[in-house]
Amino acid sequence: MAFTPLNALNAFLVVGRRRSFAAAATELGVSPSALSQSVRQLEARLGVPLLTRTTRSVSLTDAGQRLLEQAGPSVEQALEALRTATASAGEVTGRVRLSVPTIAVTTVVTPILVRFAQRYPRVEVELRVEDRFVDIVAEGLDAGIRPYESIERDMVQVRLSKQYRFVVVGSPAYLKRKGTPQRPEDLLEHDCLNILMPSSGARYAWELERGKKTWRIPVRGPLLCIHEATLISMAEAGLALMYAFEPTVVPHLKRGTLRCVLEPYAAKVDGLFLYFPSRAQVSPAFRAFLDVAREVTAERS
């Protein structure tokens, strides 16, 4: 990769956004070693370190964070202009970068993406499925999808789903073997599938509510996991009870492989929202995605 300041800047921006030389090299179509050399040359030219590298991770220095935040939008805008130059008049091109949690993929994102891809085939969507809390501005993303309660108040928010519940479910075999809990406190006597919090590595305390009273139950059980499909499989197999985002287990409830327990205590959440910075310069590609998201959501309401 020959060194030019703009090439090196773009290389750094992709690494900073991805937090990985390997992932950035794949996106740019170059080798990780060439990418690393280009970033080092940029650091030498600027006289400051931009990245802190270890054998397992890449993080931004303060100078790198400032450069990512200040230069990222302008460089992306310039790249978008280059892509647009080859498009037909009125054709939408470019890339939309999104961070979404696992629970939103099948229930919310898939219908939107299918229609969007059919309508705007020249737009590439970069979908990051991750359950950690993401700073979409720092990581150069257009938007994220999260529950209302998890979104900062200075963000523009667009509703994508109705209010939903988190429910406790178990297989008929488990309930026959262990009995059915009647109160939140009964969960302490049951085997439960523990949810691993990706940001902290801590176990998630199951949240239940009834009226104005709430419970946070520090459940214990044979498995600690973050992968929802695995948790559902283990619950269906009768290993333990599961705390689930209700829309993802509806098919299993209809088939009878899982049953809801403690329904009067199911915690309600206001819904899933698409969010993005209120002062962001919205690209034509993201504007088109936003319009399709609103369209699909209105049809499902």
Side-chain angles (χ1 to χ4, degrees):
M1 175 180 276
F3 179 82
T4 67
L6 287 178
N7 279 346
L9 175 59
N10 187 48
F12 159 73
L13 292 173
V14 177
V15 174
R17 177 163 46 80
R18 291 286 197 170
R19 301 295 199 276
S20 164
F21 276 94
T26 299
E27 179 175 328
L28 293 170
V30 300
S31 69
S33 59
L35 190 61
S36 179
Q37 178 64 18
S38 183
V39 173
R40 289 189 185 280
Q41 288 175 316
L42 178 63
E43 290 175 318
R45 171 78 61 95
L46 296 176
V48 293
L50 300 172
L51 299 170
T52 300
R53 307 160 174 83
T54 69
T55 56
R56 294 187 176 183
S57 66
V58 175
S59 60
L60 292 162
T61 64
D62 289 342
Q65 184 69 42
R66 289 194 300 273
L67 185 59
L68 179 66
E69 292 176 358
Q70 294 171 12
S74 298
V75 171
E76 182 57 36
Q77 194 171 23
L79 293 173
E80 175 63 21
L82 291 173
R83 288 189 287 263
T84 303
T86 64
S88 304
E91 185 179 23
V92 179
T93 64
R95 176 182 292 175
V96 176
R97 297 187 176 99
L98 303 171
S99 171
V100 307
T102 305
I103 60 174
V105 174
T106 56
T107 57
V108 170
V109 177
T110 299
I112 296 171
L113 280 183
V114 170
R115 183 173 302 183
F116 183 75
Q118 292 169 344
R119 192 173 296 174
Y120 300 102
R122 292 286 303 275
V123 178
E124 180 183 63
V125 178
E126 179 183 318
L127 193 66
R128 299 191 190 179
V129 181
E130 48 197 353
D131 293 314
R132 66 186 179 93
F133 291 106
V134 176
D135 185 337
I136 60 173
V137 175
E139 298 195 21
L141 305 177
D142 292 292
I145 296 175
R146 288 292 180 269
Y148 175 81
E149 293 79 2
S150 303
I151 301 173
E152 296 160 339
R153 299 288 83 88
D154 62 345
M155 294 282 177
V156 177
Q157 302 168 37
V158 178
R159 179 181 287 277
L160 297 181
S161 78
K162 299 177 181 179
Q163 186 183 75
Y164 57 82
R165 304 189 303 172
F166 280 94
V167 294
V168 179
V169 298
S171 72
Y174 175 87
L175 298 175
K176 182 178 180 179
R177 187 174 77 251
K178 292 284 192 173
T180 302
Q182 302 298 319
R183 302 174 305 155
E185 294 86 351
D186 294 345
L187 292 172
L188 295 173
E189 306 300 323
H190 278 264
D191 296 328
C192 298
L193 298 170
N194 292 276
I195 302 168
L196 179 66
M197 298 294 288
S199 55
S200 64
R203 300 168 188 262
Y204 179 74
W206 291 9
E207 299 181 54
L208 298 99
E209 62 184 36
R210 190 169 191 176
K212 294 184 179 180
K213 187 172 182 180
T214 61
W215 291 261
R216 288 179 57 84
I217 308 298
V219 298
R220 288 290 183 269
L223 180 66
L224 180 63
C225 182
I226 192 174
H227 189 245
E228 187 176 51
T230 299
L231 293 170
I232 291 174
S233 295
M234 294 299 103
E236 284 188 306
L239 183 64
L241 297 175
M242 177 188 176
Y243 187 78
F245 174 53
E246 188 175 23
T248 64
V249 294
V250 165
H252 309 275
L253 296 172
K254 288 182 176 179
R255 287 197 300 268
T257 56
L258 292 175
R259 295 177 184 169
C260 273
V261 300
L262 295 172
E263 274 205 82
Y265 300 92
K268 299 178 182 65
V269 182
D270 194 36
L272 291 169
F273 289 74
L274 182 77
Y275 69 98
F276 55 95
S278 58
R279 290 173 288 181
Q281 292 184 336
V282 176
S283 69
F286 179 63
R287 172 59 62 188
F289 182 86
L290 188 57
D291 290 343
V292 171
R294 285 177 166 143
E295 179 182 299
V296 172
T297 302
E299 291 175 2
R300 291 159 55 100
S301 299

